[in-house]
Amino acid sequence: IKGNPHLLIAGLPGMGKTTCLLNICRQMLGAGVCPIVFSYHEDIDQRLSELVPSIRFVDFHGLGFNPLQVIDRSSRLGYLDVAGTLRDIFAAIFPELGDIQGERIRNAIKQSFVEKGWDATDADLKQIQEPAFKRFVEILQSDPKPDRGLRTLLARLGELTDYGFFDLAGQNESLWESQEPIIIRIHKTQNEVLQNAFASLVFYKLYKDMFRRGTQGHITHAVIFDEAHRAARLTLIPTMAKECRKYGISLVLASQEARDFHVSLFSAIANYLVLRVTEADAKVLVRNVSSSDQ
């Protein structure tokens, strides 16, 4: 973990990104590093299954965890951090929504915590439960006179509600505990909104469980995004890249469109494999990767 263990692979379709990821996964397993792959195409699932004896697949059957879980119970403002992060996640899932609608999500989540007593100065935070994930949607729906912005927001959330996205569907153990490679099959659902929501909140779950796991002396896992440009709006990716190394985690992003990533991501990644890209992506990579004298 003394060096920079992160990698960004950029290249047009057919340039070899998936083959490269498969070889990286195989070599990581040989070195004792467990890959966790976010897969947007079944191609990588089938080909990796041929290379390794066993794989754990994670599909969407409702979320197996509550995204409102507060890790730092010693902080009285920890629930506000959760509300703000989820606002940003939903803003990435629904980029057409504005700041006011995002703030409505944050306030509804905050209110759901307040209902449980999280804002009480004398509350024992270790004894208080988090609210149900779907509670903030119910709070938004309870507005007797929704304006046009709220009706639009509820329509977007309603699409996820139809898939049971806000209902807790059993508990899954931390993915960091698995000893076999994991493929999160985002492509198992054909709805693009549900794909983005599922990928975003599983990634958020990994991020929070990373702190519970604690720091590590060497790299133990690699989080790998195939078709990473589809998750480029997720502001948690640059944050993960900056923080996960000391927790023994490498981040590998394979993308067709490097220009979609936030500029802060490039300052956190030191290793690049650039295959054939478009002129626009080439300019972005040169501007963010090379020094000015080059």
Side-chain angles (χ1 to χ4, degrees):
I1 63 172
K2 292 181 179 179
N4 185 298
H6 308 320
L7 169 68
L8 184 128
I9 305 170
L12 293 172
M15 292 297 104
K17 296 187 301 297
T18 299
T19 299
C20 180
L21 288 179
L22 290 167
N23 287 326
I24 287 174
C25 287
R26 177 173 52 81
Q27 294 176 43
M28 281 181 168
L29 288 166
V33 176
C34 181
I36 300 175
V37 182
F38 284 77
S39 171
Y40 286 89
H41 292 290
E42 62 183 18
D43 185 32
I44 195 169
D45 310 358
Q46 297 172 348
R47 294 171 63 184
L48 188 59
S49 298
E50 297 170 358
L51 295 177
V52 298
S54 64
I55 294 178
R56 176 183 171 187
F57 293 106
V58 177
D59 301 331
F60 178 78
H61 301 294
L63 289 179
F65 57 91
N66 186 355
L68 300 185
Q69 182 185 29
V70 179
I71 298 297
D72 186 5
R73 292 284 183 136
S74 64
S75 171
R76 294 210 163 269
L77 301 179
Y79 74 98
L80 295 178
D81 295 336
V82 171
T85 300
L86 282 170
R87 173 202 57 203
D88 295 341
I89 288 174
F90 278 106
I93 296 169
F94 302 112
E96 71 277 10
L97 297 180
D99 293 339
I100 293 177
Q101 292 160 315
E103 192 59 23
R104 277 178 159 158
I105 290 176
R106 192 188 78 88
N107 283 329
I109 294 174
K110 183 178 73 171
Q111 185 178 336
S112 70
F113 276 101
V114 170
E115 289 177 345
K116 291 286 188 178
W118 280 79
D119 64 331
T121 56
D122 58 345
D124 183 357
L125 298 184
K126 294 182 179 180
Q127 302 300 322
I128 303 180
Q129 291 185 339
E130 291 91 348
F133 187 33
K134 66 180 179 181
R135 178 57 188 151
F136 88 92
V137 181
E138 295 171 347
I139 291 172
L140 291 170
Q141 291 172 335
S142 67
D143 191 318
K145 296 181 178 180
D147 57 22
R148 181 177 179 181
L150 179 56
R151 290 197 300 269
T152 300
L153 174 59
L154 289 174
R156 300 295 184 270
L157 296 177
E159 186 174 358
L160 294 178
T161 301
D162 291 342
Y163 286 95
F165 184 75
F166 299 103
D167 298 320
L168 190 63
Q171 289 289 341
N172 290 332
E173 71 275 13
S174 170
L175 296 180
W176 299 125
E177 304 301 323
S178 178
Q179 300 301 312
E180 57 185 350
I182 296 170
I183 293 184
I184 302 161
R185 295 191 288 193
I186 310 299
H187 59 80
K188 278 296 183 177
T189 173
Q190 298 303 309
N191 184 287
E192 187 173 348
V193 172
L194 182 60
Q195 285 184 348
N196 291 337
F198 179 46
S200 299
L201 288 184
V202 170
F203 189 61
Y204 180 46
K205 169 71 169 172
L206 284 170
Y207 177 74
K208 292 203 292 186
D209 285 348
M210 176 182 78
F211 297 104
R212 189 191 301 275
R213 194 172 83 115
T215 57
Q216 305 290 318
H218 61 281
I219 299 298
T220 63
H221 292 76
V223 176
I224 300 173
F225 268 92
D226 185 22
E227 303 292 332
H229 54 279
R230 300 181 64 172
R233 291 183 180 272
L234 189 58
T235 57
L236 202 56
I237 287 182
T239 304
M240 185 76 155
K242 294 172 185 175
E243 298 181 3
C244 68
R245 174 176 58 90
K246 62 183 177 182
Y247 294 95
I249 300 163
S250 167
L251 185 64
V252 179
L253 306 173
S255 176
Q256 298 177 21
E257 301 167 3
R259 64 184 180 277
D260 286 343
F261 290 106
H262 193 275
V263 65
S264 64
L265 179 68
F266 296 95
S267 64
I269 293 180
N271 307 290
Y272 294 85
L273 173 60
V274 182
L275 307 172
R276 185 184 176 193
V277 294
T278 64
E279 182 73 13
D281 276 319
K283 290 180 178 179
V284 168
L285 288 164
V286 168
R287 184 169 62 250
N288 290 301
V289 176
S290 299
S291 59
S292 58
D293 62 343
Q294 295 178 307

